[in-house]
Amino acid sequence: MPRTDIEQISTLLPAWVESSKKQCIHGKTASYIPELSKAPIEALGIHLIDSNGHSISAGDSELAFTMQSISKVFTLILALMDNGEEVVFDKVGMEPTGDNFNSMLKLELVQPGIPFNPLINAGAIAISSLIAGKDANEKSQRVLRFIQLLSNNSSLSCDLDVYRSESATANLNRSMAYFLKDNGVLQGQVEDVLDVYFRHCSISVTCADLAQMALVLAHNGTNPLTGDKLIPRRYVQIAKTFMTTCGMYNASGEFAIQVGLPAKSGVAGGILTMVPGRYGIGLIGPSLNRKGNSIAGVNLLQTMSQQFDWSLF
Ligand code: DON
């Protein structure tokens, strides 16, 4: 793989962002969480940071947005740190589904009735119930503090408008959670588990925050800027594998072929990805394709990966 340096990227990036922005008109903002439909549909921004802390950004990189499903990577890691692999994988599986992220189809079709993986909604709700803490508030605080630590940004907080908007309209997630409770997958009260889940999905970030978190994953759990070991290497390996096989939902296979990097998307339009050992990347583009991934964001990452030969495969 030829080396690309950050100056080279910064020369080319603004034009690529402008070109990928043209894709925005072909997608839609998420509307099933009403507050998310207010996001600027034409926006596209990116931030990239290297192992020495040099960073570049382009487009609407200052836009604040909620992590949504990107937070599932970090609740998975925290649940693994709290419980170990055996307990976690007794409650969620390790396989892609090929279904939409909010599908509950296979929960009833396939025994033992545990969610297929921790990145679909059903799996992430199961993971929320495995976060240590005496009540929903303490669990949510632990998730927030973990994400603050990884992003090196102690001012991150939950966007309460998005949280309330999701909580008030989450009939599908609620039905899934009650189903999981009946199947013996969820610990504790269903509404408490859902509260932890809605709150972590609503943590508000910018591209720079995602890039910083991605940089830690790109360095197998160590922040290369401080030398702090924040996550055991094995759990980063598990998280990056799920990002590769399930991180872009039922477009993960296509993304692996077109971009070839571990990544996780969210319905607010964020994408967290990385070039292992080299770059952490955070991106926002609220216009989504039919699979729920940022339409312009995927296009931009495809251009970058192909131009710089970043694919791992
Ligand atoms: O539970 C939900 O539907 C949202 N809070 C998160 C879904 C999501 O981000 C799917 N991503 N592509």
Side-chain angles (χ1 to χ4, degrees):
M1 189 188 291
R3 284 202 78 79
T4 35
D5 60 34
I6 206 140
E7 287 86 39
Q8 216 182 335
I9 302 170
S10 68
T11 318
L12 298 161
L13 200 53
W16 288 345
V17 168
E18 284 316 306
S19 168
S20 292
K21 262 191 190 190
K22 295 184 189 125
Q23 296 294 318
C24 293
I25 54 164
H26 302 300
K28 289 191 180 113
T29 54
S31 57
Y32 76 99
I33 298 174
E35 197 63 24
L36 295 184
S37 65
K38 298 178 182 168
I41 191 161
E42 74 295 342
L44 178 64
I46 185 166
H47 186 99
L48 181 147
I49 180 165
D50 75 8
S51 311
N52 299 314
H54 300 128
S55 64
I56 47 170
S57 44
D60 307 293
S61 63
E62 300 292 319
L63 192 68
F65 56 96
T66 52
M67 292 179 78
Q68 296 302 332
S69 287
I70 299 169
S71 60
K72 295 172 181 176
V73 173
F74 302 102
T75 51
L76 166 66
I77 292 171
L78 191 55
L80 285 164
M81 289 165 74
D82 285 346
N83 303 277
E85 284 179 55
E86 206 175 315
V87 171
V88 169
F89 294 117
D90 185 47
K91 301 293 182 194
V92 293
M94 299 183 184
E95 305 302 335
T97 63
D99 301 325
N100 290 341
F101 61 82
N102 54 6
S103 173
M104 48 194 298
L105 183 72
K106 293 212 168 78
L107 282 180
E108 209 176 356
L109 282 182
V110 182
Q111 289 308 318
I114 62 171
F116 261 50
N117 69 68
L119 299 185
I120 53 171
N121 286 5
I125 291 168
I127 291 291
S128 291
S129 89
L130 292 172
I131 301 294
K134 69 175 186 311
D135 55 21
N137 183 48
E138 190 176 301
K139 289 171 200 244
S140 296
Q141 285 302 318
R142 287 191 66 241
V143 175
L144 179 62
R145 279 201 299 274
F146 186 52
I147 287 175
Q148 289 173 338
L149 176 73
L150 297 176
S151 61
N152 196 27
N153 184 353
S154 57
S155 69
L156 292 187
S157 64
C158 175
D159 180 329
L160 292 176
D161 291 331
V162 174
Y163 158 75
R164 289 190 194 108
S165 181
E166 175 162 19
S167 181
T169 54
N171 297 316
L172 190 53
N173 280 337
R174 257 196 190 88
S175 58
M176 233 178 264
Y178 280 95
F179 188 90
L180 291 173
K181 178 73 184 174
D182 203 62
N183 271 9
V185 174
L186 292 194
Q187 321 288 315
Q189 298 288 319
V190 175
E191 290 300 328
D192 287 349
V193 174
L194 284 166
D195 198 62
V196 175
Y197 175 77
F198 298 145
R199 283 183 193 275
H200 72 66
C201 285
S202 302
I203 294 172
S204 180
V205 292
T206 64
C207 293
D209 297 318
L210 290 189
Q212 184 64 54
M213 293 181 231
L215 189 67
V216 174
L217 300 184
H219 287 271
N220 295 316
T222 298
N223 181 339
L225 309 178
T226 60
D228 293 338
K229 181 126 198 61
L230 304 176
I231 308 169
R233 185 189 170 94
R234 169 70 180 156
Y235 298 154
V236 176
Q237 183 183 46
I238 291 172
K240 286 200 287 200
T241 308
F242 279 122
M243 290 169 78
T244 305
T245 57
C246 320
M248 305 298 279
Y249 296 108
N250 44 343
S252 298
E254 187 180 334
F255 188 86
I257 287 170
Q258 308 289 20
V259 180
L261 298 173
K264 183 73 205 83
S265 63
V267 281
I271 300 178
L272 177 154
T273 187
M274 78 213 67
V275 183
R278 292 161 69 189
Y279 302 122
I281 300 173
L283 181 152
I284 178 67
S287 181
L288 307 180
N289 62 24
R290 279 182 298 113
K291 304 272 174 83
N293 298 317
S294 171
I295 192 164
V298 170
N299 185 270
L300 177 61
L301 290 174
Q302 200 174 323
T303 304
M304 293 174 77
S305 178
Q306 285 170 6
Q307 295 289 330
F308 298 132
D309 196 13
W310 280 346
S311 174
L312 303 179
F313 307 112

